[in-house]
């Protein structure tokens, strides 16, 4: 059993609810439930009582909780004693990103950051990816994880982390969208599920404009995750970053459509106001991302 399993267990015990714990840990309730079940298998007994009310500890679960706290305290004491690289930097940092970004990029980045700077108070907020850059422009967030806009506003600095292709996706069942059944797709009639705003919408609009067409919009939604859900229901074709599709529980219910030319991929990274990059806490996060 790993230390991170013990941290997960203590978070669930404190929250007394898989949904609330999942929000803190950026995990789905089903993922947490499977993880707790594996811990119970390792321990050889039931640790939590799961019924309609708040989660409660069994007698064995209470012993396990004590063991988890003692083990993590001992581990932290050991790390502090032998690791002179741990910084005494203090402060707070508000970071905004989409739910998908929290799964794909934030978890690893924050694990490394917290190991190096345990005294920094990190406040993570999630929402629609299209809100990311505006949030840092207005000061609502100190830093965001976002796709680099085509024109980065003056006063902002971007540091790349990864790249994600932008994909057209359709329902898995062939024939659900009749316009896709012909040898030559009639894009003027294909029902589209698109983001209301944001970089993906800009690039899709440009793709249709290059063909002299306007997209036949079935629905406009906030958040790429919702696009995957609606396409999986069979209502039309959507466009999402590959990283969103990879992390979706509905990925096996949609298929990728090959289009020519391909859409320009997303370049994903950190973005912050340039004037604030000399602040020690932001400098620390920037350096961690570059390692």
């Amino acid at each position: 059993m790993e230390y991170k399993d013990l941290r997960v267990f203590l978070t669930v015990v404190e929250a007394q609810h898989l949904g609330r714990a999942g929000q803190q840990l950026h995990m789905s309730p089903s993922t947490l439930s499977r993880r707790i079940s594996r811990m119970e298998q390792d321990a050889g007994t039931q640790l939590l009582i799961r019924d309609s009310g708040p989660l409660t500890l069994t007698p064995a679960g209470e012993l396990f909780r004590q063991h988890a706290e003692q083990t993590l305290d001992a581990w932290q004491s050991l790390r502090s004693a032998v690791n002179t690289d741990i910084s005494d930097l203090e402060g707070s940092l508000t970071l905004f990103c989409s739910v998908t970004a929290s799964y794909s990029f934030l978890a690893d980045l924050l694990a490394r950051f917290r190991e190096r700077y345990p005294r920094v108070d990190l406040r993570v907020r999630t929402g629609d990816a299209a809100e990311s850059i505006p949030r840092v422009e207005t000061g609502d967030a100190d830093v965001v994880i976002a796709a680099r806009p085509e024109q980065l506003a003056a006063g902002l600095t971007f540091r790349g982390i990864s790249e994600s292709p932008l994909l057209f996706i359709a329902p898995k069942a062939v024939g659900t969208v009749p316009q896709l059944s012909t040898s030559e797709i009639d894009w003027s009639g294909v029902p589209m599920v698109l983001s209301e705003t944001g970089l993906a919408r800009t690039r899709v609009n440009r793709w249709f404009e290059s063909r002299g067409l306007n997209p036949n919009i079935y629905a406009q939604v906030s958040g790429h995750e919702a696009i995957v859900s609606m396409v999986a229901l069979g209502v039309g074709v959507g466009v999402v970053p590959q990283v969103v599709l990879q992390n979706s529980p509905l990925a096996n219910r949609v298929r990728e459509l090959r289009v020519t030319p391909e859409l320009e991929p997303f370049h994903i990274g950190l973005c912050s106001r340039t004037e604030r990059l000399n602040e020690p806490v932001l400098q620390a996060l920037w350096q961690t991302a570059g390692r």
Side-chain angles (χ1 to χ4, degrees), residues 91-134:
S92 63
L93 191 66
T94 299
L95 186 149
F96 179 89
C97 64
S98 68
V99 174
T100 295
S102 72
Y103 294 149
S104 305
F105 308 106
L106 185 61
D108 176 66
L109 174 61
L110 291 195
R112 290 184 284 123
F113 184 81
R114 290 188 65 83
E115 183 176 5
R116 181 73 176 85
Y117 306 101
R119 298 183 183 180
V120 174
D121 178 24
L122 289 165
R123 304 165 186 171
V124 178
R125 298 173 182 169
T126 58
D128 184 1
E131 299 178 20
S132 299
I133 298 297

Side-chain angles (χ1 to χ4, degrees), residues 1-14:
M1 193 174 300
E2 301 180 2
Y3 291 114
K4 60 185 178 182
D5 289 324
L6 301 181
R7 295 189 183 97
V8 165
F9 181 80
L10 292 178
T11 301
V12 171
V13 169
E14 181 178 358

Side-chain angles (χ1 to χ4, degrees), residues 61-95:
E62 174 59 28
L63 292 176
F64 189 85
R65 181 191 64 79
Q66 296 174 22
H67 164 74
E69 291 178 341
Q70 293 166 3
T71 300
L72 291 176
D73 286 345
W75 171 238
Q76 185 60 46
S77 297
L78 175 63
R79 288 180 62 250
S80 298
V82 302
N83 191 347
T84 57
D85 191 43
I86 294 179
S87 172
D88 60 358
L89 178 67
E90 296 183 353
S92 63
L93 191 66
T94 299
L95 186 149

